[in-house]
Amino acid sequence: MTQILKATTQFNLVDHVPVGLCLLRQDFVVLCWNRCLENWTKISRQEIIDRNLLDFFPHLKQPKYQSRFHQVFSGGFPAIFSPQLHPSLIPCFLPNEQRRIQQTTVNAIPNDDGNGYYALMSIQDITDLTDRIQIYQEELKKRQSIQRELERSNAELENFAYLASHDLQEPLRMVTTFTQMLGQRYKDKLDADANQIIDFAVDGAMRMQSLIHDLLVYSRVGRQGQSFELTDCEEVLDTALSNLQLLIEETNTNICQDSLPTVMADKSQLVQLFQNILNNAIKYRSEEQPNIKIGVRSEDGYWLFSIKDNGIGISQQYFERIFLIFQRLHTRQEYPGTGIGLAICQKITQRHQGKIWLESELGKGSTFYFTIPQFMSAMSE
Ligand code: ADP
Protein backbone atom coordinates (compact mmCIF):
# COMPACT_ATOMS: atom_id res chain seq x y z
CA MET A 1 0.00 0.00 0.00
CA THR A 2 2.75 2.43 0.97
CA GLN A 3 4.54 1.46 -2.25
CA ILE A 4 1.48 2.50 -4.24
CA LEU A 5 1.22 5.78 -2.32
CA LYS A 6 4.89 6.47 -2.89
CA ALA A 7 4.59 5.78 -6.63
CA THR A 8 1.48 7.97 -6.84
CA THR A 9 3.23 10.98 -5.32
CA GLN A 10 6.78 10.36 -6.54
CA PHE A 11 5.79 9.85 -10.16
CA ASN A 12 2.81 12.17 -9.96
CA LEU A 13 0.58 9.55 -11.56
CA VAL A 14 -2.49 11.80 -11.69
CA ASP A 15 -0.71 13.93 -14.29
CA HIS A 16 0.06 10.97 -16.52
CA VAL A 17 -3.40 9.52 -17.05
CA PRO A 18 -5.47 10.49 -20.11
CA VAL A 19 -8.40 11.30 -17.80
CA GLY A 20 -9.35 14.66 -16.25
CA LEU A 21 -9.21 14.40 -12.42
CA CYS A 22 -10.55 16.96 -9.95
CA LEU A 23 -10.77 16.42 -6.19
CA LEU A 24 -13.35 18.55 -4.36
CA ARG A 25 -13.96 19.35 -0.74
CA GLN A 26 -17.57 19.42 0.53
CA ASP A 27 -17.62 23.22 0.05
CA PHE A 28 -16.58 22.71 -3.63
CA VAL A 29 -13.07 23.97 -3.01
CA VAL A 30 -10.69 22.36 -5.52
CA LEU A 31 -7.93 20.25 -3.93
CA CYS A 32 -6.56 18.61 -7.05
CA TRP A 33 -6.70 19.60 -10.74
CA ASN A 34 -4.56 17.36 -12.92
CA ARG A 35 -2.56 18.24 -16.03
CA CYS A 36 -5.15 16.75 -18.36
CA LEU A 37 -7.76 19.21 -17.02
CA GLU A 38 -5.29 22.09 -17.29
CA ASN A 39 -4.80 21.28 -20.96
CA TRP A 40 -8.45 20.67 -21.73
CA THR A 41 -9.92 23.70 -19.86
CA LYS A 42 -6.95 26.11 -20.26
CA ILE A 43 -7.36 26.81 -16.49
CA SER A 44 -4.08 26.27 -14.63
CA ARG A 45 -3.92 24.72 -11.19
CA GLN A 46 -2.41 27.95 -9.80
CA GLU A 47 -5.66 29.65 -10.80
CA ILE A 48 -8.09 27.06 -9.49
CA ILE A 49 -6.58 25.17 -6.52
CA ASP A 50 -8.05 26.35 -3.20
CA ARG A 51 -10.77 28.21 -5.10
CA ASN A 52 -14.44 27.31 -5.39
CA LEU A 53 -15.24 25.27 -8.49
CA LEU A 54 -18.68 26.89 -8.72
CA ASP A 55 -17.07 30.30 -9.31
CA PHE A 56 -15.53 28.89 -12.48
CA PHE A 57 -18.51 26.81 -13.58
CA PRO A 58 -21.66 28.48 -12.18
CA HIS A 59 -23.96 26.09 -14.07
CA LEU A 60 -23.02 23.44 -11.47
CA LYS A 61 -25.02 25.43 -8.89
CA GLN A 62 -28.23 24.13 -10.48
CA PRO A 63 -30.18 21.89 -8.07
CA LYS A 64 -30.00 18.91 -10.49
CA TYR A 65 -26.19 18.92 -10.15
CA GLN A 66 -26.05 19.96 -6.48
CA SER A 67 -28.26 17.10 -5.35
CA ARG A 68 -26.03 14.54 -7.07
CA PHE A 69 -22.83 16.06 -5.65
CA HIS A 70 -24.37 16.03 -2.16
CA GLN A 71 -25.23 12.37 -2.58
CA VAL A 72 -21.51 11.73 -3.19
CA PHE A 73 -20.31 14.05 -0.37
CA SER A 74 -22.45 12.05 2.02
CA GLY A 75 -20.74 8.82 0.90
CA GLY A 76 -23.53 7.67 -1.42
CA PHE A 77 -23.40 5.97 -4.80
CA PRO A 78 -21.17 7.43 -7.50
CA ALA A 79 -22.88 10.00 -9.73
CA ILE A 80 -22.52 9.15 -13.43
CA PHE A 81 -23.15 11.94 -15.92
CA SER A 82 -23.76 10.30 -19.27
CA PRO A 83 -22.35 11.81 -22.47
CA GLN A 84 -25.84 11.86 -23.98
CA LEU A 85 -27.31 14.16 -21.29
CA HIS A 86 -24.18 15.90 -19.98
CA PRO A 87 -21.56 15.87 -22.76
CA SER A 88 -19.47 18.57 -21.02
CA LEU A 89 -20.14 18.86 -17.31
CA ILE A 90 -16.79 20.67 -17.03
CA PRO A 91 -16.46 22.32 -20.45
CA CYS A 92 -13.26 21.10 -22.11
CA PHE A 93 -12.02 21.98 -25.56
CA LEU A 94 -10.24 20.39 -28.49
CA PRO A 95 -7.38 22.27 -30.20
CA ASN A 96 -9.95 23.49 -32.77
CA GLU A 97 -12.00 25.00 -29.88
CA GLN A 98 -14.81 22.47 -30.30
CA ARG A 99 -16.14 20.98 -27.08
CA ARG A 100 -14.98 17.55 -26.12
CA ILE A 101 -17.66 14.92 -25.49
CA GLN A 102 -17.19 13.43 -22.05
CA GLN A 103 -18.43 10.89 -19.61
CA THR A 104 -18.03 12.18 -16.05
CA THR A 105 -18.11 10.02 -12.95
CA VAL A 106 -18.03 11.46 -9.42
CA ASN A 107 -16.91 9.09 -6.64
CA ALA A 108 -16.87 9.52 -2.88
CA ILE A 109 -13.43 9.30 -1.25
CA PRO A 110 -13.10 9.30 2.57
CA ASN A 111 -11.42 12.54 3.66
CA ASP A 112 -8.31 12.99 5.87
CA ASP A 113 -10.03 13.06 9.26
CA GLY A 114 -12.21 10.08 8.35
CA ASN A 115 -15.59 11.65 9.11
CA GLY A 116 -16.61 12.96 5.72
CA TYR A 117 -16.04 12.53 2.03
CA TYR A 118 -14.32 14.27 -0.84
CA ALA A 119 -15.71 14.00 -4.36
CA LEU A 120 -13.37 12.82 -7.10
CA MET A 121 -14.50 13.84 -10.59
CA SER A 122 -13.08 11.60 -13.34
CA ILE A 123 -13.66 12.96 -16.80
CA GLN A 124 -13.20 10.67 -19.78
CA ASP A 125 -12.92 12.12 -23.28
CA ILE A 126 -14.97 10.01 -25.71
CA THR A 127 -15.08 12.47 -28.62
CA ASP A 128 -13.20 10.09 -30.94
CA LEU A 129 -15.39 7.19 -30.00
CA THR A 130 -18.53 9.26 -30.52
CA ASP A 131 -17.26 10.42 -33.93
CA ARG A 132 -16.53 6.85 -34.92
CA ILE A 133 -19.93 5.68 -33.73
CA GLN A 134 -21.57 8.47 -35.70
CA ILE A 135 -19.63 7.58 -38.89
CA TYR A 136 -20.52 3.93 -38.36
CA GLN A 137 -24.19 4.76 -37.79
CA GLU A 138 -24.33 6.88 -40.93
CA GLU A 139 -22.66 4.08 -42.92
CA LEU A 140 -25.12 1.59 -41.42
CA LYS A 141 -28.07 3.82 -42.34
CA LYS A 142 -26.80 4.12 -45.93
CA ARG A 143 -26.39 0.36 -46.20
CA GLN A 144 -29.79 -0.27 -44.71
CA SER A 145 -31.39 2.06 -47.20
CA ILE A 146 -29.55 0.38 -50.13
CA GLN A 147 -30.60 -2.99 -48.74
CA ARG A 148 -34.24 -1.87 -48.48
CA GLU A 149 -34.12 -0.52 -52.02
CA LEU A 150 -32.62 -3.80 -53.27
CA GLU A 151 -35.25 -5.83 -51.47
CA ARG A 152 -38.00 -3.63 -52.87
CA SER A 153 -36.75 -3.87 -56.44
CA ASN A 154 -36.19 -7.63 -56.06
CA ALA A 155 -39.72 -8.10 -54.82
CA GLU A 156 -41.00 -5.95 -57.67
CA LEU A 157 -39.05 -7.98 -60.23
CA GLU A 158 -40.20 -11.22 -58.69
CA ASN A 159 -43.76 -10.03 -58.77
CA PHE A 160 -43.39 -8.97 -62.39
CA ALA A 161 -41.86 -12.33 -63.38
CA TYR A 162 -44.64 -14.14 -61.56
CA LEU A 163 -47.48 -12.14 -63.09
CA ALA A 164 -45.97 -12.13 -66.58
CA SER A 165 -45.32 -15.87 -66.58
CA HIS A 166 -48.64 -16.66 -64.94
CA ASP A 167 -50.73 -14.49 -67.27
CA LEU A 168 -48.85 -15.54 -70.39
CA GLN A 169 -49.54 -19.21 -69.79
CA GLU A 170 -53.14 -19.17 -70.95
CA PRO A 171 -52.79 -17.35 -74.31
CA LEU A 172 -49.69 -19.41 -75.03
CA ARG A 173 -51.57 -22.63 -74.36
CA MET A 174 -54.12 -21.47 -76.96
CA VAL A 175 -51.43 -20.71 -79.53
CA THR A 176 -49.80 -24.12 -78.99
CA THR A 177 -53.10 -26.02 -79.13
CA PHE A 178 -54.36 -24.26 -82.26
CA THR A 179 -51.08 -24.53 -84.17
CA GLN A 180 -50.99 -28.23 -83.25
CA MET A 181 -54.59 -28.60 -84.51
CA LEU A 182 -53.64 -26.75 -87.67
CA GLY A 183 -50.82 -29.23 -88.21
CA GLN A 184 -53.02 -32.28 -87.63
CA ARG A 185 -55.98 -31.14 -89.74
CA TYR A 186 -54.12 -29.81 -92.76
CA LYS A 187 -51.09 -32.09 -92.77
CA ASP A 188 -51.87 -33.74 -96.11
CA LYS A 189 -53.62 -30.74 -97.68
CA LEU A 190 -50.61 -28.41 -97.70
CA ASP A 191 -47.20 -28.65 -99.30
CA ALA A 192 -43.97 -29.69 -97.48
CA ASP A 193 -42.95 -26.08 -96.88
CA ALA A 194 -46.18 -25.28 -95.06
CA ASN A 195 -45.84 -28.44 -92.94
CA GLN A 196 -42.34 -27.40 -91.91
CA ILE A 197 -43.51 -23.90 -91.01
CA ILE A 198 -46.29 -25.35 -88.84
CA ASP A 199 -43.74 -27.63 -87.15
CA PHE A 200 -41.51 -24.65 -86.40
CA ALA A 201 -44.45 -22.70 -84.98
CA VAL A 202 -45.50 -25.62 -82.74
CA ASP A 203 -41.91 -26.16 -81.62
CA GLY A 204 -41.45 -22.43 -80.84
CA ALA A 205 -44.71 -22.24 -78.91
CA MET A 206 -43.86 -25.35 -76.89
CA ARG A 207 -40.41 -23.99 -76.09
CA MET A 208 -41.91 -20.75 -74.92
CA GLN A 209 -44.36 -22.70 -72.79
CA SER A 210 -41.57 -24.53 -71.03
CA LEU A 211 -39.57 -21.28 -70.53
CA ILE A 212 -42.60 -19.59 -69.03
CA HIS A 213 -43.31 -22.61 -66.86
CA ASP A 214 -39.72 -22.50 -65.57
CA LEU A 215 -39.89 -18.76 -64.96
CA LEU A 216 -43.01 -19.33 -62.90
CA VAL A 217 -41.29 -22.06 -60.87
CA TYR A 218 -38.31 -19.72 -60.36
CA SER A 219 -40.41 -16.79 -59.18
CA ARG A 220 -42.31 -19.07 -56.80
CA VAL A 221 -39.15 -19.96 -54.83
CA GLY A 222 -39.34 -16.66 -52.94
CA ARG A 223 -43.09 -16.02 -53.20
CA GLN A 224 -44.57 -19.33 -52.26
CA GLY A 225 -41.89 -21.04 -50.19
CA GLN A 226 -43.01 -23.01 -47.15
CA SER A 227 -41.86 -22.03 -43.67
CA PHE A 228 -38.69 -23.68 -42.38
CA GLU A 229 -38.91 -26.80 -40.24
CA LEU A 230 -36.52 -29.44 -38.93
CA THR A 231 -35.68 -31.41 -42.05
CA ASP A 232 -33.78 -34.66 -42.23
CA CYS A 233 -31.47 -34.42 -45.27
CA GLU A 234 -31.38 -38.23 -45.51
CA GLU A 235 -35.11 -38.16 -46.22
CA VAL A 236 -34.67 -35.27 -48.61
CA LEU A 237 -32.03 -37.18 -50.56
CA ASP A 238 -34.18 -40.33 -50.63
CA THR A 239 -37.05 -38.35 -52.16
CA ALA A 240 -34.76 -36.71 -54.74
CA LEU A 241 -33.24 -40.07 -55.68
CA SER A 242 -36.60 -41.77 -56.02
CA ASN A 243 -37.79 -38.93 -58.29
CA LEU A 244 -34.71 -39.62 -60.44
CA GLN A 245 -34.90 -43.41 -60.14
CA LEU A 246 -35.65 -44.10 -63.80
CA LEU A 247 -32.79 -41.92 -65.03
CA ILE A 248 -30.42 -43.48 -62.47
CA GLU A 249 -31.31 -47.00 -63.64
CA GLU A 250 -31.20 -46.17 -67.36
CA THR A 251 -27.73 -44.66 -67.02
CA ASN A 252 -26.46 -47.23 -64.51
CA THR A 253 -25.39 -44.39 -62.21
CA ASN A 254 -23.44 -45.29 -59.10
CA ILE A 255 -24.20 -43.10 -56.07
CA CYS A 256 -22.49 -43.08 -52.68
CA GLN A 257 -23.20 -40.73 -49.78
CA ASP A 258 -22.10 -39.62 -46.34
CA SER A 259 -24.71 -39.73 -43.63
CA LEU A 260 -26.52 -36.41 -43.79
CA PRO A 261 -27.60 -34.04 -40.98
CA THR A 262 -30.93 -32.52 -39.99
CA VAL A 263 -31.30 -28.82 -40.79
CA MET A 264 -33.89 -26.05 -40.59
CA ALA A 265 -35.23 -25.83 -44.12
CA ASP A 266 -38.12 -25.72 -46.52
CA LYS A 267 -38.20 -29.45 -47.19
CA SER A 268 -39.63 -29.43 -50.71
CA GLN A 269 -37.16 -26.75 -51.80
CA LEU A 270 -34.29 -28.81 -50.39
CA VAL A 271 -35.52 -31.80 -52.42
CA GLN A 272 -35.54 -29.58 -55.49
CA LEU A 273 -32.02 -28.37 -54.73
CA PHE A 274 -30.57 -31.89 -54.44
CA GLN A 275 -32.61 -33.11 -57.38
CA ASN A 276 -31.50 -30.35 -59.77
CA ILE A 277 -27.82 -30.86 -58.98
CA LEU A 278 -28.07 -34.66 -59.15
CA ASN A 279 -30.05 -34.50 -62.38
CA ASN A 280 -27.30 -32.35 -63.93
CA ALA A 281 -24.60 -34.69 -62.61
CA ILE A 282 -26.24 -37.49 -64.59
CA LYS A 283 -27.36 -35.42 -67.59
CA TYR A 284 -23.89 -33.99 -68.18
CA ARG A 285 -22.18 -37.38 -67.84
CA SER A 286 -19.13 -38.39 -69.85
CA GLU A 287 -18.46 -41.67 -71.64
CA GLU A 288 -17.67 -43.30 -68.29
CA GLN A 289 -20.24 -44.87 -65.98
CA PRO A 290 -21.67 -41.95 -63.94
CA ASN A 291 -20.25 -41.90 -60.43
CA ILE A 292 -21.68 -39.46 -57.89
CA LYS A 293 -20.45 -38.81 -54.37
CA ILE A 294 -22.58 -36.82 -51.93
CA GLY A 295 -20.61 -35.49 -48.98
CA VAL A 296 -21.13 -33.13 -46.06
CA ARG A 297 -18.91 -31.53 -43.43
CA SER A 298 -19.27 -28.94 -40.72
CA GLU A 299 -17.58 -25.59 -41.40
CA ASP A 300 -17.85 -22.25 -39.57
CA GLY A 301 -21.41 -22.78 -38.33
CA TYR A 302 -22.62 -24.14 -41.67
CA TRP A 303 -23.15 -27.57 -43.17
CA LEU A 304 -21.10 -27.68 -46.35
CA PHE A 305 -22.68 -30.14 -48.79
CA SER A 306 -20.83 -31.38 -51.86
CA ILE A 307 -22.04 -33.32 -54.89
CA LYS A 308 -19.17 -34.60 -56.99
CA ASP A 309 -19.58 -36.13 -60.44
CA ASN A 310 -17.25 -37.58 -63.07
CA GLY A 311 -19.06 -35.91 -65.96
CA ILE A 312 -18.00 -33.62 -68.79
CA GLY A 313 -16.97 -30.78 -66.47
CA ILE A 314 -17.24 -27.02 -67.03
CA SER A 315 -14.54 -24.57 -67.96
CA GLN A 316 -13.81 -22.01 -65.25
CA GLN A 317 -14.92 -19.01 -67.34
CA TYR A 318 -18.56 -20.21 -67.01
CA PHE A 319 -18.59 -20.76 -63.23
CA GLU A 320 -20.72 -17.68 -62.57
CA ARG A 321 -22.75 -17.60 -65.77
CA ILE A 322 -24.36 -21.01 -65.30
CA PHE A 323 -26.21 -19.75 -62.19
CA LEU A 324 -27.95 -17.04 -64.20
CA ILE A 325 -31.48 -17.60 -65.36
CA PHE A 326 -31.78 -19.25 -68.83
CA GLN A 327 -28.00 -19.41 -69.30
CA ARG A 328 -26.86 -22.67 -70.92
CA LEU A 329 -23.59 -23.88 -72.35
CA HIS A 330 -25.10 -26.34 -74.84
CA THR A 331 -27.73 -26.42 -77.55
CA ARG A 332 -31.07 -28.10 -76.94
CA GLN A 333 -30.06 -30.72 -79.48
CA GLU A 334 -26.99 -31.67 -77.41
CA TYR A 335 -28.73 -31.62 -74.03
CA PRO A 336 -32.39 -30.79 -73.34
CA GLY A 337 -33.15 -28.05 -70.80
CA THR A 338 -33.94 -24.36 -70.38
CA GLY A 339 -31.10 -23.21 -68.14
CA ILE A 340 -33.23 -22.57 -65.07
CA GLY A 341 -32.12 -25.46 -62.79
CA LEU A 342 -29.05 -23.84 -61.22
CA ALA A 343 -30.71 -20.41 -61.00
CA ILE A 344 -33.41 -22.09 -58.87
CA CYS A 345 -30.69 -23.82 -56.79
CA GLN A 346 -29.06 -20.45 -56.14
CA LYS A 347 -32.33 -18.86 -55.12
CA ILE A 348 -33.12 -21.75 -52.77
CA THR A 349 -29.72 -21.57 -51.05
CA GLN A 350 -30.01 -17.79 -50.73
CA ARG A 351 -33.43 -18.17 -49.14
CA HIS A 352 -31.80 -20.56 -46.66
CA GLN A 353 -29.03 -18.01 -45.90
CA GLY A 354 -26.46 -20.19 -47.66
CA LYS A 355 -24.35 -20.07 -50.82
CA ILE A 356 -23.75 -22.28 -53.84
CA TRP A 357 -20.66 -22.58 -56.04
CA LEU A 358 -18.64 -25.18 -57.90
CA GLU A 359 -15.21 -26.50 -58.69
CA SER A 360 -14.75 -28.15 -62.05
CA GLU A 361 -12.33 -28.96 -64.82
CA LEU A 362 -13.40 -29.57 -68.39
CA GLY A 363 -13.37 -33.30 -69.11
CA LYS A 364 -12.72 -34.26 -65.48
CA GLY A 365 -16.02 -33.75 -63.68
CA SER A 366 -17.51 -31.16 -61.35
CA THR A 367 -18.22 -30.72 -57.65
CA PHE A 368 -21.11 -28.49 -56.66
CA TYR A 369 -21.00 -27.11 -53.11
CA PHE A 370 -23.75 -25.47 -51.12
CA THR A 371 -24.08 -24.36 -47.50
CA ILE A 372 -26.97 -24.35 -45.03
CA PRO A 373 -26.60 -22.71 -41.60
CA GLN A 374 -26.44 -25.17 -38.71
CA PHE A 375 -28.40 -22.88 -36.43
CA MET A 376 -30.90 -20.80 -38.31
CA SER A 377 -31.90 -17.76 -36.26
CA ALA A 378 -35.19 -17.23 -38.08
CA MET A 379 -37.54 -20.21 -38.01
CA SER A 380 -39.03 -19.06 -41.27
CA GLU A 381 -38.08 -16.57 -43.93
P1 ADP B 1 -29.97 -26.78 -67.91
O1 ADP B 1 -29.46 -28.07 -67.42
O2 ADP B 1 -31.43 -26.78 -68.18
O3 ADP B 1 -29.19 -26.21 -69.04
P2 ADP B 1 -28.98 -25.61 -65.45
O4 ADP B 1 -29.22 -24.25 -64.90
O5 ADP B 1 -29.29 -26.77 -64.58
O6 ADP B 1 -29.82 -25.68 -66.77
O7 ADP B 1 -27.46 -25.68 -65.88
C1 ADP B 1 -26.86 -24.62 -66.58
C2 ADP B 1 -25.67 -25.12 -67.38
O8 ADP B 1 -24.64 -25.53 -66.49
C3 ADP B 1 -25.97 -26.36 -68.19
O9 ADP B 1 -26.46 -25.98 -69.46
C4 ADP B 1 -24.63 -27.04 -68.27
O10 ADP B 1 -23.91 -26.55 -69.35
C5 ADP B 1 -23.93 -26.63 -67.02
N1 ADP B 1 -23.92 -27.70 -65.99
C6 ADP B 1 -24.72 -27.79 -64.91
N2 ADP B 1 -24.41 -28.86 -64.16
C7 ADP B 1 -23.36 -29.47 -64.77
C8 ADP B 1 -22.57 -30.63 -64.48
N3 ADP B 1 -22.78 -31.37 -63.38
N4 ADP B 1 -21.56 -30.93 -65.33
C9 ADP B 1 -21.33 -30.17 -66.42
N5 ADP B 1 -22.05 -29.09 -66.76
C10 ADP B 1 -23.05 -28.72 -65.94
Side-chain angles (χ1 to χ4, degrees):
M1 189 64 185
T2 46
Q3 289 268 310
I4 297 172
L5 277 175
K6 194 172 155 211
T8 312
T9 45
Q10 186 179 348
F11 301 114
N12 204 7
L13 293 188
V14 291
D15 278 340
H16 294 284
V17 287
V19 174
L21 293 173
C22 164
L23 188 66
L24 291 175
R25 216 166 56 193
Q26 291 216 350
D27 54 3
F28 284 89
V29 164
V30 178
L31 300 177
C32 166
W33 189 255
N34 77 343
R35 194 179 296 159
C36 204
L37 276 181
E38 282 192 312
N39 294 338
W40 287 353
T41 58
K42 315 277 189 308
I43 301 173
S44 72
R45 49 186 92 172
Q46 284 82 359
E47 287 172 80
I48 201 165
I49 297 270
D50 289 335
R51 301 270 312 275
N52 193 311
L53 185 77
L54 306 181
D55 294 341
F56 290 81
F57 305 107
H59 68 280
L60 295 178
K61 291 179 186 164
Q62 292 172 49
K64 63 177 178 184
Y65 296 122
Q66 287 291 309
S67 62
R68 300 187 68 186
F69 273 97
H70 283 126
Q71 155 199 320
V72 175
F73 284 130
S74 53
F77 289 120
I80 297 169
F81 296 92
S82 72
Q84 290 82 12
L85 296 177
H86 312 277
S88 52
L89 195 67
I90 298 286
C92 296
F93 299 92
L94 288 163
N96 62 9
E97 297 303 312
Q98 278 197 325
R99 281 192 187 212
R100 292 174 186 273
I101 298 170
Q102 302 155 350
Q103 157 135 335
T104 305
T105 310
V106 188
N107 282 294
I109 294 188
N111 66 14
D112 301 332
D113 49 27
N115 58 8
Y117 293 89
Y118 295 140
L120 177 66
M121 298 178 76
S122 321
I123 302 164
Q124 232 181 321
D125 179 6
I126 57 164
T127 316
D128 271 3
L129 191 66
T130 318
D131 284 352
R132 264 184 278 149
I133 290 174
Q134 198 174 345
I135 292 170
Y136 172 77
Q137 278 175 338
E138 275 162 20
E139 184 63 23
L140 194 69
K141 253 194 227 156
K142 259 192 244 160
R143 283 185 190 197
Q144 280 170 338
S145 114
I146 293 172
Q147 168 90 7
R148 269 197 302 274
E149 180 51 28
L150 262 176
E151 277 168 11
R152 192 200 57 74
S153 79
N154 257 348
E156 204 171 86
L157 263 176
E158 206 162 82
N159 206 23
F160 171 74
Y162 176 77
L163 290 177
S165 44
H166 185 264
D167 294 356
L168 281 174
Q169 271 190 324
E170 193 43 43
L172 199 61
R173 199 171 296 136
M174 278 174 66
V175 174
T176 319
T177 314
F178 285 117
T179 30
Q180 271 169 336
M181 275 169 63
L182 199 66
Q184 283 155 8
R185 288 209 193 153
Y186 297 96
K187 196 158 184 59
D188 304 324
K189 301 190 180 101
L190 300 168
D191 60 18
D193 253 12
N195 282 340
Q196 203 180 21
I197 290 168
I198 291 172
D199 283 348
F200 284 153
V202 171
D203 186 47
M206 279 169 56
R207 229 167 68 213
M208 200 154 165
Q209 233 176 359
S210 74
L211 286 173
I212 281 177
H213 167 267
D214 286 353
L215 191 59
L216 198 59
V217 173
Y218 178 78
S219 67
R220 276 184 179 144
V221 172
R223 284 176 66 91
Q224 294 179 359
Q226 302 297 306
S227 56
F228 294 172
E229 56 185 4
L230 274 178
T231 304
D232 182 354
C233 293
E234 293 277 345
E235 263 178 48
V236 165
L237 183 62
D238 280 352
T239 313
L241 290 177
S242 73
N243 293 344
L244 295 169
Q245 193 181 354
L246 207 64
L247 182 66
I248 293 171
E249 281 169 9
E250 275 171 9
T251 52
N252 194 23
T253 298
N254 176 36
I255 296 177
C256 66
Q257 65 164 99
D258 287 351
S259 69
L260 302 182
T262 295
V263 296
M264 283 299 288
D266 175 333
K267 190 172 178 181
S268 60
Q269 288 191 347
L270 219 51
V271 171
Q272 199 172 11
L273 176 62
F274 271 99
Q275 195 172 316
N276 286 1
I277 300 177
L278 288 167
N279 187 38
N280 281 348
I282 303 173
K283 178 158 70 164
Y284 299 104
R285 61 188 176 275
S286 62
E287 299 292 307
E288 294 172 34
Q289 179 197 7
N291 233 322
I292 300 174
K293 162 114 185 59
I294 301 153
V296 67
R297 66 171 194 265
S298 168
E299 204 169 277
D300 297 335
Y302 286 83
W303 290 115
L304 172 59
F305 292 86
S306 57
I307 299 180
K308 180 178 166 61
D309 66 49
N310 60 342
I312 59 174
I314 304 168
S315 127
Q316 192 173 358
Q317 58 182 310
Y318 301 120
F319 282 7
E320 286 184 13
R321 195 175 123 183
I322 56 171
F323 290 101
L324 299 177
I325 190 165
F326 298 142
Q327 292 294 322
R328 318 198 61 228
L329 305 181
H330 307 277
T331 62
R332 279 181 302 122
Q333 285 69 35
E334 290 172 292
Y335 295 97
T338 56
I340 196 92
L342 289 178
I344 289 178
C345 289
Q346 190 174 52
K347 217 164 173 213
I348 292 174
T349 48
Q350 279 168 354
R351 186 173 172 239
H352 287 76
Q353 297 166 26
K355 285 188 190 149
I356 184 167
W357 70 97
L358 76 148
E359 282 170 6
S360 183
E361 212 179 311
L362 207 55
K364 292 203 173 155
S366 316
T367 308
F368 281 81
Y369 296 95
F370 65 89
T371 55
I372 303 275
Q374 288 175 347
F375 305 102
M376 183 115 28
S377 51
M379 297 295 274
S380 62
E381 197 190 27

